[in-house]
Amino acid sequence: MASEFQDVESALEQMKDEDLSEVKRILYGKPCDKLEIPASAVSSANENEFEIAGYEIPSVGMEQGRPPRRVRIGLIQNKIVKPTDAPIKEQVTALHDRISLMIKAAHDCGVNIVGLQEAWTMPFAFCTREKSPWTEFAESAEDGPTTKLCQELAKNYNMVIISPILERDSLHCGVLWNTAVVISNSGEVLGKTRKNHIPRVGDFNESTYYMEGDTGHRVFQTAFGKIAVNICYGRHHPLNWLMFGLNGAEIVFNPSATVGALSEPMWPIEARCAAIANHYFTCAINRVGSETFPNEFTSGDGKKAHKDFGHFYGSSYVASPDGSRTPGLSRTRDGLLVTSIDLNSCQQIADKWGFRMTGRYEMYADSLKKYASHDFKPDIVKEK
């Protein structure tokens, strides 16, 4: 079964050495140097059964006017801990405990910014047809228990934390949003951003739970660079990636929850292409495992009623604006990926390729305005 296949990197290692380096160059771009992982983090990973890997993406070049701006990113992918029919408080508490120890390992590795997966405090129940009890996982983005936990961790570890949750919006009659809360290294809530695009394919039933986001393409100025969050399905929309770049993002996190049969061939490509096209770093984060629900649900694809959504294949990675990328984490195991990047690479690559200078945004803005009009006529030339 596909879910039993561990990862591409392990399979590649079976190749002859003389072929392996060339294959990796073609697949991943410039090779990444391995980071030394502290003994305390290795011990925690072994004791708590999660993978840990560290890489340094080489700087594109050296500048005379400023030193490298090295930042360490941590990406965490994980399974749910308790079964989906366990009491909600037990499910949330178990995930809080597990992710807290993984964030501690990230701290031991010197991570400055850690990104968690989409809706990390709950099973990915947005495939189901019933709303109860899944809506009970929703909480305030400003002062809910998950945000309070992340505030404490962020302050203690001097770390920015990106915490995607199901948000209960008390200011608007308790409606729900798919939201990422950005916690500053000071422990304060820097802000939040909401999922811009909601899927309408297969088992996904997300539009019955929450609405399309209303926060636009916010970029957050942190102590460790300008960051943004492109939640899950938004990675399929090039204009979505574009706008984060136009607003000045240097790193865009893409917390996701996607399964193999639906999207796996696209996964290694989309975030990497976005990094190249927009002159910034991208962080692709996907959960792992299979989640079984108490009640059967049906699919928009016409499949027979079933109780599971499929295999979340992990494979989290970081991509650079020069097209290089780290190896991915496992398809089957919880994991922490630590990556050192040089933010100066964003401007250096922009100067090299000039996509911002050659973008012709005024031309596309005019064309998009026409397309959005109800009386739009495609510009098609036909033989007379």
Side-chain angles (χ1 to χ4, degrees), residues 236-252:
H236 301 312
H237 296 267
L239 290 176
N240 205 34
W241 291 107
L242 171 68
M243 289 309 303
F244 292 118
L246 295 184
N247 280 323
E250 295 172 301
I251 312 170
V252 180

Side-chain angles (χ1 to χ4, degrees), residues 223-242:
F224 309 110
K226 296 190 287 290
I227 68 174
V229 190
N230 182 10
I231 302 175
C232 199
Y233 192 73
R235 72 183 181 279
H236 301 312
H237 296 267
L239 290 176
N240 205 34
W241 291 107
L242 171 68

Side-chain angles (χ1 to χ4, degrees), residues 4-120:
E4 296 172 347
F5 180 69
Q6 292 299 307
D7 54 72
V8 172
E9 286 71 32
S10 297
L12 288 176
E13 294 298 332
Q14 307 303 313
M15 297 180 64
K16 296 179 180 179
D17 290 343
E18 58 267 28
D19 294 332
L20 179 59
S21 60
E22 192 66 3
V23 168
K24 284 188 173 181
R25 180 188 67 81
I26 294 170
L27 288 179
Y28 296 145
K30 295 179 181 178
C32 298
D33 299 322
K34 286 191 175 182
L35 289 176
E36 183 177 350
I37 303 297
S40 60
V42 173
S43 176
S44 178
N46 290 336
E47 181 181 345
N48 295 289
E49 298 184 340
F50 64 87
E51 177 188 9
I52 188 166
Y55 301 94
E56 179 175 299
I57 296 179
S59 299
V60 172
M62 300 298 293
E63 298 182 23
Q64 298 181 34
R66 58 179 179 171
R69 298 166 59 211
R70 280 278 160 193
V71 172
R72 285 201 178 190
I73 301 166
L75 309 185
I76 292 177
Q77 64 179 41
N78 62 278
K79 305 180 183 73
I80 57 174
V81 180
K82 297 284 187 176
T84 59
D85 58 357
I88 290 172
K89 186 174 182 179
E90 288 184 14
Q91 293 190 56
V92 174
T93 300
L95 283 164
H96 279 185
D97 291 345
R98 180 149 184 82
I99 299 309
S100 292
L101 63 87
M102 295 180 76
I103 291 176
K104 171 60 167 61
H107 165 69
D108 292 348
C109 293
V111 165
N112 305 118
I113 309 171
V114 68
L116 308 179
Q117 67 196 26
E118 182 184 20
W120 72 270

Side-chain angles (χ1 to χ4, degrees), residues 41 107 148 155 163 166-167 207 265 291 315 348 352:
H107 165 69
K148 288 181 178 178
K155 186 175 182 179
S163 173
L166 182 62
E167 177 194 1
S207 60
E291 300 172 1
S315 307
Q348 291 165 2
K352 176 180 179 179

Side-chain angles (χ1 to χ4, degrees), residues 111-318:
V111 165
N112 305 118
I113 309 171
V114 68
L116 308 179
Q117 67 196 26
E118 182 184 20
W120 72 270
T121 62
M122 61 181 293
F124 202 72
F126 310 133
C127 53
T128 62
R129 297 295 171 179
E130 74 274 9
K131 288 189 175 182
S132 178
W134 317 119
T135 55
E136 294 184 47
F137 282 93
E139 56 183 284
S140 167
E142 287 72 29
D143 58 9
T146 297
T147 294
K148 288 181 178 178
L149 170 67
C150 290
Q151 287 181 286
E152 181 181 349
L153 295 171
K155 186 175 182 179
N156 288 345
Y157 298 146
N158 189 32
M159 180 189 298
V160 173
I161 298 177
I162 298 168
S163 173
I165 61 169
L166 182 62
E167 177 194 1
R168 176 75 72 183
D169 183 1
S170 61
L171 293 179
H172 295 91
C173 303
V175 300
L176 303 181
W177 304 92
N178 189 325
T179 298
V181 185
V182 179
I183 313 294
S184 171
N185 60 311
S186 68
E188 296 300 313
V189 176
L190 185 56
K192 64 186 177 185
T193 188
R194 290 165 172 162
K195 186 172 183 176
N196 283 329
H197 298 275
I198 300 179
R200 292 175 174 84
V201 57
D203 282 336
F204 290 97
N205 200 32
E206 299 179 37
S207 60
T208 66
Y209 283 87
Y210 52 82
M211 298 184 293
E212 289 163 333
D214 62 352
T215 54
H217 297 86
R218 291 175 173 172
V219 171
F220 301 90
Q221 177 69 68
T222 76
F224 309 110
K226 296 190 287 290
I227 68 174
V229 190
N230 182 10
I231 302 175
C232 199
Y233 192 73
R235 72 183 181 279
H236 301 312
H237 296 267
L239 290 176
N240 205 34
W241 291 107
L242 171 68
M243 289 309 303
F244 292 118
L246 295 184
N247 280 323
E250 295 172 301
I251 312 170
V252 180
F253 291 80
N254 179 221
S256 299
T258 184
V259 292
L262 179 71
S263 63
E264 195 162 11
M266 302 155 67
W267 179 256
I269 301 170
E270 289 174 305
R272 191 179 183 189
C273 288
I276 296 168
N278 296 288
H279 304 319
Y280 53 49
F281 289 89
T282 57
C283 302
I285 315 165
N286 187 29
R287 68 170 61 198
V288 287
S290 298
E291 300 172 1
T292 302
F293 295 92
N295 300 320
E296 290 183 333
F297 52 90
T298 53
S299 170
D301 287 342
K303 292 185 289 188
K304 293 181 179 179
H306 45 286
K307 291 188 175 184
D308 71 278
F309 189 43
H311 174 68
F312 297 102
Y313 52 81
S315 307
S316 302
Y317 68 95
V318 176

